[in-house]
Every structure is written in structure tokens, then in C-alpha cells.
Amino acid sequence: MAVLLLAEIAGGALALDATAKAVTAAKSLGDVTVLVAGPAAAGQAASQIDGVAKVVVADDAAYANGLAEPVADLVVSLAGNYEHIVAPSTASAKNILPRVAALLDVMVLSDVTAVVDGSTFERPIYAGNAMQTVKSNDSKKVLTVRTTAFDAAGQGGSGAVEAIAAAGNAGLSEWVEDKVAASDRPELTSAKIVVSGGRGVGSEENFAIIEALADKLGAAVGASRAAVDSGFAPNDWQVGQTGKVVAPELYIAVGISGAIQHLAGMKDSKVIVAINKDEEAPIFQVADYGLVADLFEAVPDLTKALKE
Amino acid sequence: MKIIAPIKRLIDHNVKVRVKADGSGVDLANVKMSMNPFDEIAVEEAIRLKEAGKADEVVVVSIGVKQAQETLRTALAMGADRAILVVAADDVHQDIEPLAVAKILKAVIDAEAPGLVIAGKQAIDNDMNATGQMLAALLGWGQATYASEVGIEGDHAVVTREVDGGLQTIKVKLPAIVTADLRLNEPRYASLPNIMKAKKKPLDEKTAADYGVDVTPRLEIVKTAEPAARSAGEMVGSVDELVSKLKEKGIV
Ligand SMILES: Cc1cc2nc3c(=O)[nH]c(=O)nc-3n(C[C@H](O)[C@H](O)[C@H](O)COP(=O)(O)OP(=O)(O)OC[C@H]3O[C@@H](n4cnc5c(N)ncnc54)[C@H](O)[C@@H]3O)c2cc1C
Ligand SMILES: Cc1cc2nc3c(=O)[nH]c(=O)nc-3n(C[C@H](O)[C@H](O)[C@H](O)COP(=O)(O)OP(=O)(O)OC[C@H]3O[C@@H](n4cnc5c(N)ncnc54)[C@H](O)[C@@H]3O)c2cc1C
């Protein structure tokens, strides 16, 4: 049985962490061939992931911006040889794989958190308030895997790398621009520590105290939907059911009430710290350490205390 | 141009979900049902495009149980012109998979010939985030998912998308599928007079069989379980106590 794994490409390079986590999930299903719709260097990097049997690289201008239509056509052109088509649950793969599945006339399984066997998978529904085990009766299984549920495969692979032809571009859509904020901070979904701010932070300027604590800890910065909707933080910081799912060693929630939609994105964190002035806030029900305090005092104090 | 917005009736986002004791699914009997929040955003966007003169008709479509009528009436009260209900299940617990939903929507679209379809990015019950992409594939149309801004320019839509690293803007040829993300707009509330008016707007009722679509699920639910519970830890009295606890654990 063979698995085709769509590598995650970000900014023209392999997104190693997300891809290596998907490799761990895919390995249990069969021999893994990684498809890189991108530059040869990304293919080389993918071949070094432990457990990768082979890498195929389609380097073509059509794939430069990850547009769903041409990438889906490429995946479908290769699908004949594989029983499973897998990708990490990133915004990009979640845009592409359902399109692939429909073109193959099969269902897609989004956000798989465990592989039971070759056709049975576990996935969260209702913002993680229920876990469903589903069995696919389709001839091919198309799935995205939640990266927080799998450890990254290590290095040391030596899969063969083969260049393949592109599969054309129907030109249904066209890239205009990306607005990606450059940041020295670790990436939100793979960071060891995440400090998130909510509506309680009050303004974009005030978010600086959240960022100062994050930088002290070498952490990524997250936000609740309310903070993003209010313009305190950019959209790609949103953690939750409809934002990013994170599971760091330490998650510090500041001025966040703990709505189920937010918890859906962080409740698998190892240690959760909550700082909130309302002792009744539901976030305290999932926190390992709760501190009832005004964040404008507690957060700068915490940043300072950590300096010593 | 005609715009179609597919809308899903599902458990209200404020309701605490309960897994049924026999593990067969989530209990949906006697719970409050509403329109999927992302679909409210999609309907709002369609109405705004009409108000801006970019569209002349907004048609809402729902696939599911008969009670989805209420959800369609809500969309009509917001300002949609016409509704189509495709009855494909007679028990709320019988959910229709995105692939089947997409096939029915394709049949509706073949008949209606809209210039644009705006769906929600994901339904908050099954969180699949799939239907719009599947529909685009079946139609052979372009797709612009996770939209936070939609503009119509001639025979293209210019769409800003919320992606992992920030924002991406793309141009898609019309007709196309757009899926709405949270920050596309803030949906309006329907006023009482509009709720009354909506009762008189046309609502066509069809069945999946009318479109010749087989809704047999491809996925079989083996079991549904409660997630592992997380228990509350301890309250600390001060920042210093917090720091020493975290140091004890070796995480800072
Ligand atoms: C379809 C849908 C999808 C959603 N998706 C997401 C999602 O992905 N992610 C997400 O986060 N939310 C999501 N939400 C929104 C969610 O329901 C909540 O509205 C949101 O998480 C609330 O954000 P918050 O906790 O920052 O704000 P609030 O609930 O307003 O909480 C603010 C908290 O700050 C505290 N506070 C205020 N001032 C201070 C102070 N000076 N010091 C200390 N504490 C203070 C208050 O006590 C309060 O607990 C979604 C909702 C819907 C309907
Ligand atoms: C209680 C329960 C029982 C289930 N039983 C089964 C079962 O027996 N067999 C099985 O295989 N699966 C079953 N499922 C799973 C289910 O069929 C699919 O996983 C589900 O439909 C996933 O898609 P989604 O609703 O998350 O759609 P998404 O792809 O997340 O929805 C995106 C958008 O598509 C549009 N859309 C989606 N659905 C509709 C609709 N019905 N009408 C109009 N527009 C729509 C909306 O615009 C929506 O915002 C069950 C699920 C539940 C909760």
C-alpha cells in the first residue's frame, strides 16, 4: 500500500515541521512518497525526513503560490498509484485536498488526530467537544492530519528524489499578492511556548505587553477571535476552532475568557496558565495554574520576574 | 448576476454539545438549532453585493431536514430574495456528507446558473471545511476560500484570503466559489418587518432524488466519544508563586 503525501510549502521552502508530522501519520499507512509542488531544494529537504521512501518534485510557475486548482490537478494526475493521499492540516492543504477528493469522487477526512487502521480514523467534531471514529468505504482515502496530534518524524532519511512534469494550469485563478508579516518569533503551531492575549488586552498598543512576555520566553504570540476582530492582533494569530490549533509545552492565556471555540484550539497544551481578573472565567476550568489579577500589572511583573 | 449562498442548519454555537451515551453521535434532539455562523456571513456578503449593485438576485439553498425551512426564512429575512430547500434526510441525526451536499448543490447550480457562489468556510458541527472546495471541483470552477474581502471587477472576483502566514489576495474567474471567513463582515439582524416580509418570499421544496443524487454516506461512524477531559489545576496567589511553580516544572 502506498501513500502520497503533499508537502507543505511556505515562502518557497519546505515547511519541515508540518510535513514531518504528517510523515509520522502517513508512515503507519504504507510507503510514503512525498509530492513537492515547488522548488527542487524543498524536494531535497523532504527526502531527508526519516520514513520518506521517495520524493517527486514538480517545479513549475503554476505552483509558485499554492493555488488550489493547479495543485489539485497535479495531485489527481498522480493519484492512480496510491491508496492514501495525505497532507498536514494547514490552511493551504485544507484548501486543496477537498478539491482533490471531489475530483476523485471520494470523501475527504479533515483534521485526523489518530490513525486506527488503513480505513479508520479519529477526528474531532463540534470544536473538539466530541471525538468521532470514522471508517471510510471509499477506494481512496484523502485526509488532512492535525499536526498537534503527531510528533515530527526525525531526520536521516535518504529517499530518492525524482523530477516530474507539471500537470498544466487551467488558469481559473491568479495570484495577486501575499501580505505576510515577517517575524523573528517561532511559528505559532510549532512553538514550545505560546502567549495569547484576548479582548481584555484592550488595544493593539497594549498587545506590546503580551509580545514582551512572549519575547522574554522565546514564545509565539496568539490571540482570541475577539482580539483579532477588534483589530488588536493580525488574523494569523487567532487560536481556536476556526483559527490555529496549538499544543505547546506551555500556553499562557491572558485576558481570555475561555469560550469553547477558543479552548478547541489550545486545550491539548501540556501546561496551561490563565491570567484573568474575573475569578469565574471558564478558562480557569482548564488551567493548570490560574492567577486572578489585572493583566496590566501581572503581565509586566511576570516578564520582569522571568528576567531575574 | 445571481448569487447563491448555501446555508446549513446546525446546533446553535452557544449550546453545550452532549455525546449520546451509546456512542452513536451527538444528541441533537430538542436542542436549539441555528444557521451556521459562517453562512450568516456568506448571506450578508451576498446581500451587500446586491445592495452595491454588483448582483441582482440572492438565492439561498439548504440541504437537510424539512426544518431547515426556518433557517432559510432567517436568510430571507436578512434580505435574500428566494430560497430552495432540498430535503435529503428526515432525522436531524442524519447528516449529509460534503461530497453529497456538493453534488446536490452542483445540480442546483446547473439549473440556476449563478455568477457567484458564497458558502461558509466550515460548518461548526463537523468542522470539515470541505463543501465549497468540493463544489468548485465538481463544477470545474475556481475557488477562493477563507475570504476576508471580496470585490467584483468585471468578469473576476478579487478575494483576500486568511491564510496561515497572514493574507493572500487572488483573482478568480467568474463564475467561482468563495467561502466566507469570520472577518468578511458582521451579519445584520433581521428586523421584525423584514421577518414578516420573508414569510411571503418564495421557498421551493425539492428532494435529493429530484436531482438524481445518491446521498449514501462514504464514511461510516464507528463511534463518537467524549474527548479526554482536562481537570482544573490550582490557583496561585501571586506572580512570584506562578514563576516558582513553572520553574519547579522546568518549563521556564
Ligand atoms: C463560528 C465561531 C467561531 C469562533 N472561532 C473562534 C476561534 O477560532 N478562536 C477564538 O478565540 N474564538 C472564536 N470564537 C469566539 C468565541 O466564542 C469568543 O467570543 C472569544 O473567544 C472571546 O474572546 P476573549 O476571551 O478574548 O473575549 P471575552 O470573552 O470578552 O473575554 C475577555 C476576558 O478578559 C478578561 N479581562 C478583561 N480585562 C482584564 C484585565 N485588565 N486583566 C485581566 N483580565 C481581564 C475578562 O475577565 C474576560 O474573561 C468563535 C465564535 C463563533 C461563533
Ligand atoms: C450527528 C451526526 C451524524 C452523522 N452521521 C453520519 C453518517 O451516518 N454517515 C456519515 O458518513 N457521516 C455522518 N456524519 C458526518 C457528516 O456527514 C459530514 O462529516 C459533515 O457533513 C461534514 O461537513 P460539514 O457539515 O462540516 O461541512 P463543511 O464542508 O464544513 O461546510 C462548509 C459550508 O458548506 C455549506 N454546506 C454544508 N452543508 C450544507 C447543507 N447541508 N446545506 C447547504 N449548505 C451546506 C455551507 O455553506 C457551509 O458553511 C454525521 C455527523 C453528525 C454530526
Side-chain angles (χ1 to χ4, degrees), chain A residues 98 107-110 123 125-126 132 134-135 137, chain B residues 5-10 20 24-28 36-40 42 60-65 68 72 84 86 88 92-99 101-102 105 117-135 178-180 215-221 224:
Chain A
M107 254 302 286
V108 66
L109 285 147
S110 308
R123 61 180 298 270
I125 55 172
Y126 290 94
Q132 197 158 60
V134 290
K135 183 168 186 292
N137 294 317
Chain B
I7 62 182
K8 184 174 183 181
R9 174 182 184 265
L10 44 67
K20 286 198 275 187
S24 65
V26 163
D27 196 354
L28 295 176
N36 180 31
F38 287 96
D39 301 353
E40 289 179 1
V60 286
V61 183
S62 192
I63 296 150
V65 292
L72 289 167
I84 301 172
V86 183
V92 275
H93 290 101
Q94 190 189 342
D95 203 80
I96 323 293
E97 288 175 355
L99 181 60
V101 168
L105 288 173
V117 173
I118 311 180
K121 128 172 152 173
Q122 84 193 53
I124 59 160
D125 51 355
N126 292 303
D127 289 333
M128 270 296 187
N129 187 337
T131 306
Q133 297 89 312
M134 293 189 122
L135 178 59
V178 167
T179 74
V215 296
T216 311
R218 307 294 185 85
L219 306 178
E220 189 183 308
I221 311 284
T224 307

Side-chain angles (χ1 to χ4, degrees), chain A residues 111-114 122-125 127-131 146-151 189 191-192 194 239-241 244-252 260-273 283 286-288, chain B residues 226-231:
Chain A
D111 275 325
V112 165
T113 49
E122 189 188 274
R123 61 180 298 270
I125 55 172
N129 283 297
M131 298 302 295
R146 188 169 273 197
T147 49
T148 52
F150 299 92
D151 291 330
T189 53
K192 295 247 176 315
V194 174
V239 171
Q241 178 186 15
K244 289 193 172 123
V245 177
V246 302
E249 304 283 319
L250 174 62
Y251 187 89
I252 305 182
I260 53 166
Q261 292 89 357
H262 188 78
L263 301 185
M266 45 64 80
K267 70 181 161 67
D268 293 327
S269 304
K270 285 228 174 60
V271 173
I272 297 174
V273 169
I283 189 79
V286 300
D288 297 279
Chain B
E226 297 269 3
R230 192 173 180 115
S231 44

Side-chain angles (χ1 to χ4, degrees), chain B residues 40-53:
Chain B
E40 289 179 1
I41 299 171
V43 171
E44 175 68 33
E45 193 65 17
I47 296 168
R48 287 190 191 183
L49 286 170
K50 185 181 164 189
E51 288 167 348

